[in-house]
């Protein structure tokens, strides 16, 4: 049936220069870069908080790009993103855990693949990847099982806080006038008189340029503007998190010999003081739900204990799974569509935390090249993020701090109050957890959930789950 309603009025100018769809780590970084380039930008996110998609559940490794496909856009973006992160992180008070990595071959067949890995690393400009003697390896990681055949040293692979960094990008953009709309599920994109009108139900936003950063829904959002030339199929990664007592056994990132499809099961410290084992790589159709399976988790624990036997006696704190936004194309998809005033940023599957700032700079160049002159801002404001890293001073150590609400992770009442206030308060319990570490520890919120909910009551955009409802996801 023809729609007889009159078309909305044509607008010569848009409310915003740019609308970024999707507040994962990539969208947050793009939002920041374009705002700092002097444009008026709005960030639209369907969830009640930022980082509620792929970006909520990763391994948090700041990669060097040593094993990425040489010459790919991915390696360029990762290395540019890593450089920028390391150059700017101190201005935000963001932590880095300088662990480096060892890549260990456990069979002759794996050992035979090490020279090709060194070659690839050197092609990627990571020239300090080199073989390491087994006695040096044992000295570096005395807890390692006695059966390695050969190993490489991979300096520069580090661990970061996967949630505070994108939050810092958004807060800086907001301090310079960027606007964030959460619970804005873009369902229509219409081009009216040279302006994009993005709608979410009855609400609408007009912008001159759209940047699609929709992660696991990238092809759906693309299809709002044109038949999508790519398809997204999420690749699930399951993880096991060992208790803090386990970290003394894992001083560095322990990498396996990667396959063509996955980097394999990694054992690594987390910035929050735990040890992480995972992820798996399982293709699935569901874009929203990442389940964990008992048999897979048992396999991960067995693998961890095979490589680091002391982990067999360590308690497990948590389990979770993340969904990588994998596409049917080999490389990241980042392209401007000049006639449409649209930029696609899709298929940022396994390395987007590292690459985000590099991608953001590249998108900014595309916007300048194809669409708009930029007016980079001077005198930048650098919001300082509260420290959540275990190896640096935390709020609970501050003289005169009030009560501690989450006893497992030592989260103070003041930290929770602060996370529920400010320019971008937590929008849901997951967001509160990512801003404070509350509910992330041994009891997984069993002891503090009621107190946290009482504090958060009426402040969140999304109601906490009812008692007996589903467990919190990370
Ligand atoms: C298991 C696993 C391990 C990983 N390990 C690492 C690692 O160690 N190091 C590293 O650098 N990277 C790692 N990654 C990769 C990294 O997490 C991803 O590349 C990154 O999170 C992708 O971010 P994104 O912003 O593209 O997608 P997302 O985080 O999914 O963000 C997209 C956002 O768009 C929103 N959205 C979708 N549709 C709409 C719509 N119609 N309207 C409004 N909003 C919408 C979603 O709600 C979501 O918030 C890992 C990923 C996984 C899953």
């Amino acid at each position: 049936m023809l729609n007889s309603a009159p078309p909305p009025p044509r607008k010569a100018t848009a409310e915003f220069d740019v609308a970024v769809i999707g507040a994962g780590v990539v969208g947050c970084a793009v939002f920041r870069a374009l705002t700092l380039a002097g444009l008026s930008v709005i960030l639209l996110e369907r969830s009640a908080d930022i980082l509620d998609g792929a970006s909520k559940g990763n391994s948090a490794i700041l990669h060097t790009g040593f094993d990425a496909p040489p010459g790919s856009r991915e390696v360029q973006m990762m290395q540019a993103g890593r450089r920028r992160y390391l150059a700017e992180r101190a201005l935000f008070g963001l932590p880095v855990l300088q662990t480096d990595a060892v890549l260990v071959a456990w069979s002759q067949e794996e050992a035979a693949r090490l020279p090709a890995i060194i070659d690839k690393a050197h092609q990627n400009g990571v020239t300090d990847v080199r073989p390491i003697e087994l006695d040096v390896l044992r000295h570096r990681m005395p807890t390692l099982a006695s059966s390695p055949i050969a190993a490489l040293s991979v300096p520069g692979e580090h661990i970061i806080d996967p949630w505070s960094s994108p939050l810092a990008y958004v807060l800086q953009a907001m301090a310079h006038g960027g606007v964030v709309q959460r619970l804005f599920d873009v369902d229509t994109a219409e081009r009216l008189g040279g302006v994009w009108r993005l709608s979410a139900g009855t609400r609408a936003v007009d912008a001159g340029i759209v940047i699609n950063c929709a992660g696991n829904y990238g092809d759906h959002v693309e299809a709002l503007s044109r038949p999508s030339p790519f398809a997204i199929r999420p690749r699930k990664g399951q993880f096991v998190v060992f208790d803090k007592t386990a970290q003394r056994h894992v001083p560095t990132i322990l990498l396996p010999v990667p396959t063509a499809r996955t980097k394999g099961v990694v054992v690594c410290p987390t910035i929050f003081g735990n040890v992480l084992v995972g992820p798996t790589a399982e293709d699935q159709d569901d874009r929203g739900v990442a389940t964990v399976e008992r048999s897979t988790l048992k396999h991960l624990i067995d693998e961890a204990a095979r490589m680091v036997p002391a982990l067999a006696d360590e308690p497990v704190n948590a389990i979770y799974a993340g969904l990588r936004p994998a596409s049917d194309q080999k490389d990241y998809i980042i392209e401007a569509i000049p006639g449409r005033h649209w930029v696609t940023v899709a298929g940022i599957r396994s390395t987007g935390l590292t690459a985000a700032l590099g991608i953001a700079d590249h998108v900014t160049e595309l916007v300048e090249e194809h669409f708009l002159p930029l007016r980079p801002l001077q005198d930048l404001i650098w919001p300082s993020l509260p420290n959540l890293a275990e190896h640096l001073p935390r709020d609970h150590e501050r003289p005169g701090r009030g009560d501690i609400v989450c006893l497992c992770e030592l989260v103070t009442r003041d930290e929770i109050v602060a996370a529920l206030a400010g320019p971008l308060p937590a929008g849901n319990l997951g967001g509160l957890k990512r801003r404070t570490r509350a509910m992330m520890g041994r009891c997984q919120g069993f002891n503090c959930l009621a107190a946290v909910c009482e504090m958060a009551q009426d402040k969140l955009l999304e109601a906490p789950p009812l008692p007996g409802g589903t467990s919190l996801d990370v």
Side-chain angles (χ1 to χ4, degrees):
M1 200 172 81
L2 285 175
N3 184 351
S4 57
R10 293 182 150 234
K11 298 188 76 170
T13 54
E15 209 176 341
F16 294 94
D17 294 326
V18 185
V20 178
I21 304 179
V25 62
V26 174
C28 293
V30 168
F31 172 56
R32 169 205 187 218
L34 293 173
T35 305
L36 300 191
L39 303 180
S40 66
V41 190
I42 184 164
L43 177 64
L44 303 172
E45 168 55 49
R46 66 151 58 120
S47 294
D49 209 346
I50 64 168
L51 310 178
D52 225 10
S55 304
K56 74 179 165 188
N58 56 42
S59 320
I61 299 176
L62 185 71
H63 295 293
T64 57
F66 80 98
D67 58 348
S72 61
R73 186 179 280 142
E74 180 177 10
V75 75
Q76 279 172 34
M77 299 294 110
M78 281 164 80
Q79 294 183 336
R82 180 176 189 279
R83 272 195 302 276
R84 202 184 241 281
Y85 181 83
L86 291 175
E88 294 183 343
R89 68 166 188 95
L91 295 164
F92 287 119
L94 292 171
V96 63
L97 191 58
Q98 299 190 350
T99 53
D100 301 330
V102 289
L103 188 150
V104 177
W106 299 92
S107 68
Q108 293 295 352
E109 191 264 320
E110 286 183 355
R113 303 212 312 261
L114 297 188
I117 294 173
I118 297 178
D119 264 10
K120 190 191 257 188
H122 291 196
Q123 281 182 62
N124 286 338
V126 190
T127 50
D128 50 3
V129 172
R130 57 175 194 283
I132 177 173
E133 300 297 329
L134 290 180
D135 54 342
V136 178
L137 174 67
R138 256 175 232 117
H139 181 73
R140 223 162 119 185
M141 192 162 172
T143 49
L144 203 63
S146 56
S147 48
I149 305 283
L152 302 180
S153 165
V154 189
E157 296 274 305
H158 295 325
I159 304 290
I160 61 173
D161 176 341
W163 304 317
S164 298
S165 28
L167 178 60
Y169 310 154
V170 172
L171 291 177
Q172 188 178 37
M174 292 177 83
H176 286 285
V179 175
V180 179
Q181 265 302 326
R182 293 177 284 182
L183 293 176
F184 195 103
D185 186 356
V186 178
D187 55 25
T188 319
E190 296 166 280
R191 198 138 168 79
L192 307 164
V195 168
W196 283 106
R197 172 159 295 175
L198 302 177
S199 305
T202 53
R203 291 176 301 152
V205 162
D206 289 350
I209 303 163
V210 172
I211 321 280
N212 170 10
C213 298
N216 279 308
Y217 298 84
D219 51 351
H220 288 185
V221 166
E222 198 70 16
L224 300 178
S225 105
R226 59 170 180 164
S228 179
F230 59 90
I232 298 288
R233 185 145 191 252
R235 185 165 298 158
K236 180 168 78 173
Q238 301 188 46
F239 291 97
V240 168
V241 184
F242 284 98
D243 199 5
K244 300 215 173 0
T245 50
Q247 205 172 81
R248 68 205 144 119
H249 308 308
V250 184
T252 186
I253 303 172
L254 181 58
L255 300 170
V257 175
T259 67
R261 196 161 165 277
T262 155
K263 289 177 182 296
V265 173
V266 175
V267 180
C268 65
T270 75
I271 202 98
F272 311 119
N274 300 76
V275 167
L276 196 64
V277 181
T280 55
E282 307 161 60
D283 293 330
Q284 68 172 46
D285 293 324
D286 195 313
R287 294 163 189 253
V289 179
T291 55
V292 285
E293 281 95 38
R294 186 180 289 271
S295 58
T296 309
L297 300 173
K298 178 170 182 328
H299 168 72
L300 290 176
I301 294 170
D302 291 348
E303 272 294 281
R306 177 181 67 77
M307 296 184 274
V308 184
L311 290 178
D313 299 322
E314 291 294 342
V316 166
N317 255 14
I319 48 181
Y320 68 94
L323 294 179
R324 304 170 184 88
S327 83
D328 52 1
Q329 301 186 19
K330 278 203 161 49
D331 206 349
Y332 286 180
I333 304 161
I334 307 178
E335 59 171 322
I337 306 161
R340 309 280 294 158
H341 282 63
W342 181 282
V343 182
T344 304
V345 185
I348 314 297
R349 67 199 97 202
S350 314
T351 48
L353 176 65
T354 305
L357 294 175
I359 293 172
D361 283 342
H362 183 51
V363 168
T364 308
E365 285 161 16
L366 290 176
V367 166
E368 183 170 38
E369 184 184 335
H370 296 286
F371 307 126
L372 271 181
L374 306 178
R375 304 171 295 275
L377 304 182
Q378 308 296 319
D379 302 325
L380 298 186
I381 299 161
W382 296 89
S384 184
L385 276 279
N387 170 56
L388 302 184
E390 190 71 1
H391 66 289
L392 296 171
R394 291 191 47 220
D395 195 54
H396 68 84
E397 297 164 54
R398 178 173 50 91
R401 53 107 179 119
D403 3 321
I404 291 182
V405 176
C406 169
L407 286 168
C408 300
E409 294 295 304
L410 298 173
V411 181
T412 64
R413 181 171 294 276
D414 289 351
E415 283 176 295
I416 295 177
V417 168
L420 291 166
L424 192 71
N428 56 19
L429 276 189
L432 190 54
K433 185 186 216 170
R434 292 191 285 275
R435 281 170 181 72
T436 61
R437 283 173 53 175
M439 305 167 283
M440 246 175 69
R442 290 180 187 135
C443 83
Q444 290 288 292
F446 182 85
N447 286 314
C448 66
L449 182 60
V452 170
C453 285
E454 201 181 319
M455 292 176 75
Q457 189 174 306
D458 305 330
K459 296 199 171 67
L460 302 176
L461 300 177
E462 182 179 79
L466 293 170
T470 52
S471 63
L472 294 166
D473 62 351
V474 178

